[in-house]
Amino acid sequence: MQVKAVKFGGTSLADAGQFRKVYDIVKSDPTRRFVVASAPGKRFGEDTKVTDMLYACYDMAAAGLDFSAFFAGICARFEAIVDGLGLDIDLSPDYEEIISALMHGAGRDYAASRGEYLAAKILAAYLGFDFIDAADVVFFRDDGSFDDVQTYPNFASVLRGHDYAVIPGFYGVMPNGTIKTFSRGGSDITGAIVARAADADIYENWTDVSGFLMADPRLIPSPLPIKTVTYRELRELSYMGAGVLHEDSVFPVRSAGIPINIRNTNEPDNPGTMIVSGTDCVDNEHIITGIAGRKNFSVIRIEKDRMAYHRGFLRRIFEVLDLNGINVDHIPSGIDTISVIVHSDELTGKYDILRESLVSSIKPDYLEIKDGLALIAVVGRGMVGKPGVASRIFDAVAAAHVNVRMMDQGLGELNVIVGVDEADFETALRAIYDAFVKQDSNAL
Ligand code: ADP
Ligand code: ASP
Ligand code: MG
């Protein structure tokens, strides 16, 4: 029999009504055997995700404040779901345990993980599936990285003992037994790990949009859906802010050749987006597959005459960055200039020391560190070997009166990164989207 690993995101489990939709989806296909649950998310625009409520609760506990009234608000969200579904389960021992753990110094990750833990318990009871605690099957190493070597064989053997099960997303366990979470949105990664451990035929990721869209629907009204996207395109888009799927969800499934299908819990008949490896991939309707972007980047601009002849010049720049714990995103360069683009958060509290260290190490002719850069990634397997794509991007941005501060194209030609002032971000994004999607893309 086929096996499907299915993950439901926060909006899909936000209240009892959403749980009912999840029930119908899971029960309509007996091969949907392993279900990963997120913590209840937003029920409406101004609502707070349970995970954020739990972080706030942890902060109160850590500050020695009385968090009982606040925690009662979290319990109320879960109780409303239990009551709304007419379930006969008592979560009060779990609530007591969480309160006690928080009072006795439990960690931030433990606190955050309880949203997934409780949601998965409720979902397991509602579906009549077994509950498998992620703390028993998802392992991290001492350095905080996901331990695939320990996880997959153990998890696979545990899954063999269950026909149907619900597993909480987002967290696992450290070698010392404490709970650790992935970064935000990490239930997507758990879903991929479950798919891999179950040797699933497909990983269905159920969310609140009908698949991967060509742009963020919060920035472009009703962007076109993407029918098929490759793992590599998806990585580029997710990394650059297409938040529909955590960028690291690709790794567990890619090497096993398990496709991901993004689906909409609120529109279950829509086939959504298939994420596949390059080779099985059908042609795209448009030259570009999608656009994504993010604000909050900084540029470290370095000029030095005859840079290429100063042996070790680049090595010294990267040594300084490394010593200061700064990760690099992009490195566009010219003959006598190099720009290092980093997330602005990486520089917090480090501007002066970075400037001083660079000056003493590489003695640049000119050095500038400037914040306020937004990056837009134009991604598409259809761009490879097509002349005129970059000029089309430039024309679109120029016609919208936006100045391009930097441009970078990877050698694989799968993406073009355009840097603009943060104030121009939305305008530039719309201009590029319109140029490739609204206008006739056969013009090239
Ligand atoms: P879940 O809670 O199901 O994990 P997320 O909120 O993490 O869902 O991701 C879904 C959201 O991602 C959508 O509601 C949408 O606002 C946002 N999003 C950003 N970029 C895109 C995109 N290119 N396509 C679809 N959704 C996107
Ligand atoms: N609940 C976690 C978060 O809000 C994980 C997830 O939703 O994937 O980030
Ligand atoms: Mg998500």
Side-chain angles (χ1 to χ4, degrees), residues 75 181 267 365 394:
C75 301
T181 62
E267 204 193 323
D365 298 333
F394 276 125

Side-chain angles (χ1 to χ4, degrees), residues 7 9-10 38-39 49 51-52 55 112 116 169-170 183-188:
K7 176 258 171 181
S38 291
K49 293 178 173 188
T51 308
D52 291 311
Y55 279 126
E116 272 63 19
F170 195 33
S183 56
R184 293 302 303 265
S187 297
D188 290 333

Side-chain angles (χ1 to χ4, degrees), residues 189-218:
I189 305 174
T190 313
I193 293 169
V194 171
R196 168 74 174 266
D199 197 15
D201 298 278
I202 192 163
Y203 166 28
E204 290 179 351
N205 185 294
W206 291 82
T207 180
D208 62 349
V209 274
S210 292
F212 223 100
L213 307 171
M214 288 188 74
D216 188 332
R218 291 163 299 189

Side-chain angles (χ1 to χ4, degrees), residues 101-168:
L102 287 176
M103 289 201 312
H104 294 95
R108 192 167 185 269
D109 283 11
Y110 166 83
S113 74
R114 296 304 88 185
E116 272 63 19
Y117 173 82
L118 293 167
K121 271 197 138 179
I122 298 173
L123 188 58
Y126 185 43
L127 291 168
F129 284 13
D130 300 334
F131 171 79
I132 301 174
D133 191 349
D136 298 329
V137 283
V138 176
F139 300 100
F140 287 91
R141 299 189 184 93
D142 274 321
D143 65 3
S145 61
F146 167 62
D147 188 345
D148 51 345
V149 177
Q150 209 198 338
T151 300
Y152 292 132
N154 280 297
F155 206 163
S157 84
V158 170
L159 289 177
R160 278 194 286 275
H162 299 267
D163 289 333
Y164 292 94
V166 179
I167 304 107

